[in-house]
């Protein structure tokens, strides 16, 4: 939905657009001049700066031209995210949309907000320890199941021998726990031995690369494939094999980041997951707008006892990457992906 661990300076971006009070088509809906907080977890994954925040703000502008989106990024620091949330409450926000750095630590943010009757929408990652008012995400357990099953099917079709490495996400991220559960649901009954697995601290790719490098030494010529929980850990796994001078086996990913789509096209990465960020960003904006108006939107389902809306993602491999790139809601365009370095590979797959 993380190719380096880095300290980040939190960014504060505000968008204020004046409009009339009428709900005119295309002119922005009602909702007064409410402030909405949009708190994202890190900048190691490029998606939050490039897609989530701009898309959320664009949808809020459409729904409520007089509303103000207060965006901050925690730079992978849960204490900083707590401070940012406190600042948002002090500024009088009417709702908080948060993708938590640490799902357990975020419980205190929910408690503080709800004590002031401010609703909290968990975004992308759930907050199991304290019931948020709403949860919007792609189905993370399904993501894990899909990427792992896709890999297992590929290994069986190739009559591969050996076992599988499993590179999970952060142990403090509840969404990573769901992805991990989904991966096991496909790997455990697959007939392929799970050689080893690793929970990557903070989703940090260098940690994943270091661990995979150690497993390459530990299991020489035995690794048939790697199930990596996202594109950052997937790219790190691939880098470990290349650094070892060893053939890269099929490696999964998740998030459909630019570099990952290019690796899929080039044949370095076996799959990734397309989960158009516009879908969740728009849904979160709609829910936040409803709460800001004093309404209580009903969930389509329930997860961790929280009203939720969960969307189903799409596995991307070389077989369907051209089709995915042609999807209107997909964030990347052919021109972004098929640069000079990848033009021949794109042409071979019929990507135009």
């Amino acid at each position: 939905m993380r190719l380096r661990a880095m300290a980040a300076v939190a960014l504060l971006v505000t968008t204020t657009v004046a409009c009339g009070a009428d709900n005119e088509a295309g002119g922005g809906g009602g909702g007064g001049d409410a402030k909405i907080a949009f708190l994202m977890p890190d900048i190691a994954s490029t998606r939050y700066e490039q897609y989530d925040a701009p898309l959320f703000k664009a949808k809020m502008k459409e729904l409520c031209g007089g509303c103000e989106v207060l965006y901050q990024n925690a730079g992978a620091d849960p204490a900083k995210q707590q401070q940012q949330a406190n600042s948002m409450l002090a500024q009088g926000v009417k709702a908080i949309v948060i993708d938590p750095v640490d799902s357990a630590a975020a419980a205190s943010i929910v408690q503080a907000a709800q004590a002031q009757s401010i609703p909290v929408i968990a975004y992308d990652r759930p907050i199991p320890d304290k019931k948020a008012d709403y949860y919007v995400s792609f189905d993370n357990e399904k993501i894990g199941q899909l990427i792992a099953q896709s890999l297992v099917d590929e290994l069986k079709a190739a009559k591969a021998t050996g076992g599988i490495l499993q590179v999970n996400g952060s142990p403090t991220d509840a969404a990573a726990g769901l992805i991990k559960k989904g991966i096991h649901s496909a790997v455990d009954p697959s007939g392929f031995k799970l050689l080893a697995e690793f929970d990557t601290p903070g989703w940090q790719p260098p940690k994943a690369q270091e661990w995979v490098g150690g497993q390459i030494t530990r299991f020489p010529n035995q690794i048939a494939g790697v199930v990596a929980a996202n594109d950052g850990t997937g790219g790190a796994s691939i880098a470990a094999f290349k650094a070892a001078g060893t053939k890269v086996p099929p490696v999964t990913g998740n998030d459909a980041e630019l570099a990952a789509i290019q690796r899929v096209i080039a044949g370095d990465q076996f799959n990734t997951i397309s989960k158009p960020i516009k879908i969740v960003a728009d849904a979160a904006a709609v829910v936040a707008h409803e709460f800001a108006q004093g309404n209580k939107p009903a969930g389509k389902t329930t997860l961790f006892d929280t009203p939720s809306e969960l969307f189903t993602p799409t596995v991307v491999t070389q077989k369907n990457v051209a089709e995915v790139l042609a999807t209107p809601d997909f964030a990347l365009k052919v021109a972004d992906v098929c640069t000079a370095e990848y033009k021949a590979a794109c042409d071979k797959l019929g990507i135009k």
Side-chain angles (χ1 to χ4, degrees), residues 77 115 310 326:
D77 184 343
L310 304 178

Side-chain angles (χ1 to χ4, degrees), residues 38-41 47-48 51-53 55-56 96-100 120-127 134-137 175 277-285:
F38 192 69
L39 305 180
M40 294 295 101
R47 56 171 283 192
Y48 303 114
Y51 304 116
D52 295 80
L55 288 167
F56 181 83
I96 292 177
V97 179
I98 180 171
D99 191 336
V120 176
I121 299 100
Y123 180 91
D124 196 38
R125 302 173 183 176
I127 305 173
Y134 209 94
Y135 175 47
V136 177
S137 178
I277 293 168
K278 180 174 171 53
I279 292 175
V280 288
D282 283 3

Side-chain angles (χ1 to χ4, degrees), residues 42-63:
D42 62 67
I43 61 170
S45 177
T46 58
R47 56 171 283 192
Y48 303 114
E49 303 290 315
Q50 294 182 0
Y51 304 116
D52 295 80
L55 288 167
F56 181 83
K57 286 187 280 188
K59 186 63 177 179
M60 282 303 306
K61 178 181 177 182
E62 174 189 328
L63 294 168

Side-chain angles (χ1 to χ4, degrees), residues 126 135 140-141 144 173-183 303-304:
Y135 175 47
N140 286 295
E141 187 172 340
D173 177 356
L178 293 171
I179 293 171
K180 178 178 178 178
K181 182 179 179 182
I183 291 172
L303 186 66
F304 295 118

Side-chain angles (χ1 to χ4, degrees), residues 14-240:
T14 62
T15 302
T16 309
V17 182
C19 76
D22 295 333
N23 287 331
E24 298 177 7
D33 297 325
K35 295 177 182 178
I36 308 295
F38 192 69
L39 305 180
M40 294 295 101
D42 62 67
I43 61 170
S45 177
T46 58
R47 56 171 283 192
Y48 303 114
E49 303 290 315
Q50 294 182 0
Y51 304 116
D52 295 80
L55 288 167
F56 181 83
K57 286 187 280 188
K59 186 63 177 179
M60 282 303 306
K61 178 181 177 182
E62 174 189 328
L63 294 168
C64 173
C67 289
E68 184 179 3
V69 174
L70 305 181
Y71 165 58
Q72 288 193 328
N73 191 299
D77 184 343
K80 180 178 287 185
Q81 191 166 61
Q82 177 74 65
Q83 294 167 0
Q84 291 169 345
N86 291 341
S87 173
M88 295 298 177
L89 291 171
Q91 294 179 65
V93 295
K94 296 299 183 183
I96 292 177
V97 179
I98 180 171
D99 191 336
V101 175
D102 183 315
S103 295
S108 62
I109 295 175
V110 176
Q111 184 172 356
Q114 291 177 344
Q116 299 183 36
S117 300
I118 304 302
V120 176
I121 299 100
Y123 180 91
D124 196 38
R125 302 173 183 176
I127 305 173
D129 294 344
K130 179 66 176 176
K131 180 180 175 181
D133 295 274
Y134 209 94
Y135 175 47
V136 177
S137 178
F138 278 88
D139 187 333
N140 286 295
E141 187 172 340
K142 187 68 173 177
I143 286 172
Q145 188 272 330
L146 286 171
I147 58 175
Q149 191 61 55
S150 173
L151 177 76
V152 166
D153 292 345
E154 173 71 7
L155 296 181
K156 287 182 176 180
K159 297 185 178 357
T161 58
I164 291 173
L165 294 182
Q166 182 171 330
V167 186
N168 304 311
S170 172
T172 64
D173 177 356
L178 293 171
I179 293 171
K180 178 178 178 178
K181 182 179 179 182
I183 291 172
H184 274 290
S185 74
V187 170
D188 293 352
S190 70
F192 290 98
K193 182 180 179 180
L194 179 60
L195 298 173
E197 68 177 301
F198 178 64
D199 293 340
T200 308
W203 290 95
Q204 297 175 46
K207 296 290 187 183
Q209 183 172 343
E210 179 182 2
W211 181 79
V212 172
Q215 305 314 301
I216 293 170
T217 301
R218 181 184 175 192
F219 300 107
N221 303 313
Q222 297 178 57
I223 303 170
V226 179
V227 184
N230 78 332
D231 289 333
T233 54
S237 300
I238 292 165

Side-chain angles (χ1 to χ4, degrees), residues 325-344:
L325 280 169
T327 304
D329 283 342
F330 193 66
L332 301 173
K333 305 304 177 188
V334 171
D336 302 324
V337 175
C338 296
T339 57
E341 182 180 354
Y342 296 95
K343 186 178 185 308

Side-chain angles (χ1 to χ4, degrees), residues 304-342:
F304 295 118
D305 199 31
T306 301
S308 305
E309 187 167 10
L310 304 178
F311 300 95
T312 301
T314 302
V315 176
V316 184
T317 67
Q318 284 194 344
K319 292 180 180 178
N320 68 338
V321 65
E323 179 184 347
V324 170
L325 280 169
T327 304
D329 283 342
F330 193 66
L332 301 173
K333 305 304 177 188
V334 171
D336 302 324
V337 175
C338 296
T339 57
E341 182 180 354
Y342 296 95

